[in-house]
């Protein structure tokens, strides 16, 4: 049974909804087939996160983008599988880097086994994604390679930190564009391109993908603080405990510099301290949930989602454009 539910598509057209659900079912079958190995243990490790479910946001966008061409084109579902396998592979590697214990509501691969198994499983998934990708043509291989370079660069930028004199929030948004936006942009690019959409439509949808990808990650940042459940598939406060400065914390730091508030400085001191104790982490989360920094981060999320919606303007009117526009609302709704 899936621990993390797929992202809910809000549409006003039943035929479109049925087609997308059929496409997602085909993607799910292909994900299971694409993670099987002749080595049983490798199959178990590779399917660990597949079976834990997931939002399947990237495949959803691939399928929607294909509606501006021929959604039955043979490369559409394989392309959706490629982007999801690539995403899954990065999660295995991320959990090793972050020393995470939980992913999608289940023990992370590194916690369930060890770091070596997690890294090698991620490599296996990259290999499987590359094999499927090789059947989609040279252009698809180049697009994926360029996006993967951006993804790795974004991860490196996050690790190294802002350049001297660079605004930390600008740096963070640049990181998100690489780490999250690039692959979500590819999901839209592939769907439109492989369905035979025009170059203009492909360009519009690629831009939309990157922008909604940033908004999607910003919403995750807010959920990590605001959610009292396990909506994100991670334990609330995970980023705080790992010392990751997401947008709400960056806003808090900026506000503390501007105001010199003793309360803000005290809250930052707790955030920068040891949050291994669950009760201390809970206290910090409660303080952040009532802080204006979280409201600023929410407003930024809304602004990025609106930028994504505005990108859709040149597309022809119809149920698919409506669905993409409603996704902007759904992303914002996740952030409360």
């Amino acid at each position: 049974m899936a621990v993390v539910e797929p992202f809910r598509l809000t549409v006003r057209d039943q035929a479109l909804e049925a087609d997308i659900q059929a496409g997602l079912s085909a993607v799910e079958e292909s994900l299971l087939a694409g993670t099987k190995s002749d080595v049983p243990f490798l199959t178990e490790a590779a399917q660990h996160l597949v079976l834990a479910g997931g939002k399947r946001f990237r495949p959803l966008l691939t399928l929607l983008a294909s509606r501006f061409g021929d959604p039955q084109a043979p490369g559409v579902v394989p392309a959706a599988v490629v982007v999801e396998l690539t995403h899954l592979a990065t999660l295995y590697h991320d959990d090793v880097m972050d020393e995470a214990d939980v992913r999608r509501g289940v023990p992370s691969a590194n916690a369930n086994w060890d770091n070596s198994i997690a890294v090698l499983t991620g490599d296996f998934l990259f290999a499987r994604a590359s094999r499927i990708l090789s059947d989609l043509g040279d252009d698809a291989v180049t697009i994926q390679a360029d996006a993967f370079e951006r993804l790795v660069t974004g991860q490196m930028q996050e690790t190294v930190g802002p350049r001297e004199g660079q605004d930390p929030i600008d740096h963070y948004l640049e990181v998100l564009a690489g780490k999250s936006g690039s692959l979500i942009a590819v999901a839209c690019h592939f769907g439109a391109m492989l369905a035979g959409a025009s170059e203009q439509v492909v360009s519009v949808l690629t831009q939309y993908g990157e922008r909604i990808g940033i908004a999607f990650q910003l919403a995750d940042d807010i959920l990590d603080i605001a959610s009292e459940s396990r909506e994100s598939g991670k334990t609330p406060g995970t980023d705080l405990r790992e010392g990751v400065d997401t947008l709400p914390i960056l806003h808090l730091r900026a506000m503390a510099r501007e105001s010199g508030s003793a309360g803000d400085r005290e809250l930052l001191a707790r955030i920068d301290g040891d949050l291994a104790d669950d009760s201390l982490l809970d206290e910090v989360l409660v303080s952040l949930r009532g802080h204006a920094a979280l409201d600023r981060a929410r407003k930024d999320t809304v602004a990025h989602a609106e930028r994504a919606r505005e990108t859709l303007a040149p597309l022809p009117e119809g149920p698919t454009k409506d669905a993409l526009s409603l996704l902007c609302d759904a992303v914002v709704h996740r952030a409360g």
Side-chain angles (χ1 to χ4, degrees):
M1 179 181 294
V3 177
V4 176
E5 293 293 323
F7 197 87
R8 295 297 179 188
L9 173 66
T10 304
V11 296
R12 302 188 180 102
D13 186 286
Q14 292 184 345
L16 172 61
E17 182 176 11
D19 286 348
I20 295 299
Q21 290 306 318
L24 288 173
S25 294
V27 169
E28 209 65 28
E29 290 178 9
S30 295
L31 284 172
L32 288 172
T35 48
K36 285 183 180 176
S37 166
D38 293 336
V39 179
F41 177 75
L42 185 49
T43 300
E44 179 186 358
Q47 292 187 349
H48 180 66
L49 290 185
V50 175
L51 295 173
K55 302 178 191 76
R56 305 296 189 248
F57 188 60
R58 292 155 189 80
L60 171 62
L61 286 170
T62 301
L63 297 174
L64 284 171
S66 75
R67 306 289 301 184
F68 292 93
D70 175 11
Q72 302 302 319
V76 171
V77 168
V81 174
V82 165
V83 290
E84 188 66 10
L85 284 176
T86 302
H87 172 57
L88 285 168
T90 65
L91 297 184
Y92 281 84
H93 287 184
D94 283 351
D95 287 343
V96 171
M97 293 180 65
D98 299 337
E99 299 180 354
D101 294 326
V102 177
R103 171 68 70 176
R104 295 185 170 178
V106 299
S108 60
N110 47 300
N112 206 40
W113 294 291
D114 59 32
N115 284 348
S116 295
I117 294 298
V119 170
L120 290 169
T121 303
D123 292 346
F124 172 76
L125 294 177
F126 281 131
R128 284 297 174 87
S130 298
R131 179 64 188 85
I132 298 169
L133 182 67
S134 68
D135 292 330
L136 300 180
D138 291 345
D139 287 346
V141 172
T142 300
I143 290 164
Q144 173 83 345
D146 289 345
F148 195 65
E149 179 181 337
R150 288 190 61 204
L151 191 157
V152 173
T153 300
Q155 183 69 64
M156 183 66 77
Q157 287 175 306
E158 180 180 62
T159 302
V160 173
R163 300 182 298 274
E164 185 176 352
Q166 184 181 21
D167 179 84
I169 291 177
D170 289 343
H171 169 262
Y172 185 64
L173 294 174
E174 190 177 293
V175 165
L176 292 193
K179 277 186 60 179
S180 300
S182 61
L183 188 59
I184 293 176
V186 166
C188 292
H189 194 152
F190 278 172
M193 181 184 76
L194 293 168
S198 70
E199 288 186 12
Q200 182 195 20
V201 168
V202 170
S203 176
V204 166
L205 288 167
T206 302
Q207 292 177 54
Y208 166 83
E210 179 150 337
R211 289 175 179 177
I212 200 170
I214 294 171
F216 190 85
Q217 184 56 52
L218 290 176
D220 268 0
D221 289 353
I222 294 168
L223 277 174
D224 188 63
I225 293 170
S227 173
E228 296 185 25
S229 65
R230 299 293 186 268
E231 293 174 56
S232 65
K234 300 190 297 182
T235 303
T238 296
D239 291 329
L240 284 172
R241 183 166 271 166
E242 292 167 359
V244 177
D245 273 4
T246 57
L247 189 62
I249 307 306
L250 291 172
H251 275 310
L252 175 60
R253 295 191 188 282
M255 293 168 75
R257 289 193 299 271
E258 293 164 5
S259 68
S261 163
D264 287 351
R265 289 199 304 271
E266 192 276 333
L267 178 54
L268 282 171
R270 287 191 288 160
I271 288 170
D272 292 336
D274 186 355
L275 292 176
D277 183 88
D278 288 343
S279 62
L280 290 176
L281 179 63
D282 288 343
E283 288 175 9
V284 168
L285 287 171
V286 169
S287 296
L288 285 169
R289 286 166 188 160
H291 201 283
L294 191 62
D295 291 332
R296 284 194 184 182
R298 283 195 176 101
K299 289 177 182 177
D300 287 344
T301 303
V302 171
H304 280 277
E306 284 303 313
R307 285 188 68 208
R309 194 198 316 273
E310 290 165 4
T311 307
L312 299 171
L315 297 179
E317 300 298 326
T320 303
K321 182 177 179 179
D322 290 344
L324 291 170
S325 179
L326 287 168
L327 275 181
C328 299
D329 297 321
V331 164
V332 170
H333 177 71
R334 295 173 64 238

